[in-house]
Amino acid sequence: PAVYEKDYDYKFGKPVTLKHGKDLLILSTGSMVAQSLIAIKILEEKGIDAELINVHTLKPLSQQIVEKLKLFNYVVTIEEHSIIGGLNSIIAEKIATCCPKTNLFPIALPDAFGPTGTYNYLLDYHGLTGQKIGQKILRFFQNRNFDKWLKNMSLFKSISTYKNNIALISELTGPLTYNDLIKKTDTI
């Protein structure tokens, strides 16, 4: 699907805000921007007002993105790339240094070999369709009180912000039990 309805004036290093919002910030890159627009509609139907920014230039990361990170408690990164070494990694580093209370939820490809297939099959398999992205964000946002519980646990305090973001929140598909938390942190 088309992202821009009119001609687009690309400016290196300058991200493009496609939708303003107040509840959470979605940072998307590449082909996932179009899928993110579909997800935004799903979120709107559920009363979630998300801001969407097309981060077409990852390096250097725009200071505008850093300033946006300070304004939102919940940030979602969406990329058709490994969860390691791309947009999520860059944003996780920025959050760790400028706004550690921000909750990061990455939607990306796992750091593993996957199956082969058509492009649409692989998007669906990895949960990178607009519909599946919208569902993942809904689950994350609806379970946002879970992070408050984690922060009160002494175990949580021993886990770095980056590991918390990657290992816990990225796999959050519903409420985790204490035993689930122990299993996840044992693999870190």
Side-chain angles (χ1 to χ4, degrees):
V3 173
Y4 300 99
E5 293 177 11
K6 299 178 183 175
D7 286 342
Y8 171 59
D9 186 23
Y10 172 83
K11 291 189 171 78
F12 180 79
K14 186 173 174 23
V16 179
T17 301
L18 298 171
K19 182 190 172 296
H20 291 279
K22 62 179 175 27
D23 294 328
L24 65 95
L25 174 62
I26 298 174
L27 302 172
S28 190
T29 189
S31 64
M32 291 296 98
V33 176
Q35 299 299 327
S36 298
L37 285 169
I38 295 167
I40 287 278
K41 291 177 183 171
I42 293 167
L43 298 175
E44 285 175 344
E45 291 171 4
K46 299 294 184 179
I48 299 172
D49 186 22
E51 182 154 329
L52 174 61
I53 299 179
N54 177 1
V55 186
H56 55 70
T57 306
L58 300 184
K59 189 172 178 181
L61 187 68
S62 168
Q63 187 61 31
Q64 175 186 344
I65 297 295
V66 176
E67 295 307 314
K68 285 287 185 178
L69 293 174
K70 295 175 184 177
L71 299 176
F72 287 89
N73 291 324
Y74 304 97
V75 175
V76 178
T77 57
I78 305 171
E79 60 189 315
E80 185 183 3
H81 181 274
S82 168
I83 196 162
I84 297 172
L87 178 62
N88 172 64
S89 295
I90 293 167
I91 298 302
E93 285 182 26
K94 292 297 179 188
I95 286 174
T97 58
C98 79
C99 36
K101 292 185 180 183
T102 299
N103 296 284
L104 176 62
F105 180 59
I107 298 176
L109 297 171
D111 183 30
F113 290 103
T116 59
T118 66
Y119 180 71
N120 288 333
Y121 168 79
L122 292 172
L123 285 181
D124 185 63
Y125 177 86
H126 290 292
L128 295 176
T129 63
Q131 181 74 24
K132 288 191 174 181
I133 290 169
Q135 292 168 354
K136 287 180 181 184
I137 295 172
L138 280 173
R139 281 194 303 270
F140 166 69
F141 198 70
Q142 290 167 345
N143 288 305
R144 64 189 178 274
N145 291 328
F146 179 70
D147 64 299
K148 293 176 187 172
W149 174 76
L150 281 175
K151 287 178 184 175
N152 291 326
M153 295 178 54
S154 60
L155 175 63
F156 177 80
K157 294 174 184 171
S158 68
I159 302 171
S160 74
T161 301
Y162 183 76
K163 287 181 180 177
N164 170 53
N165 287 334
I166 299 300
L168 299 176
I169 296 177
S170 69
E171 295 184 20
L172 187 61
T173 58
L176 292 174
T177 65
Y178 179 76
N179 287 334
D180 291 335
L181 178 64
I182 297 302
K183 287 177 192 171
K184 290 187 185 310
T185 56
D186 283 345
T187 62
I188 297 174

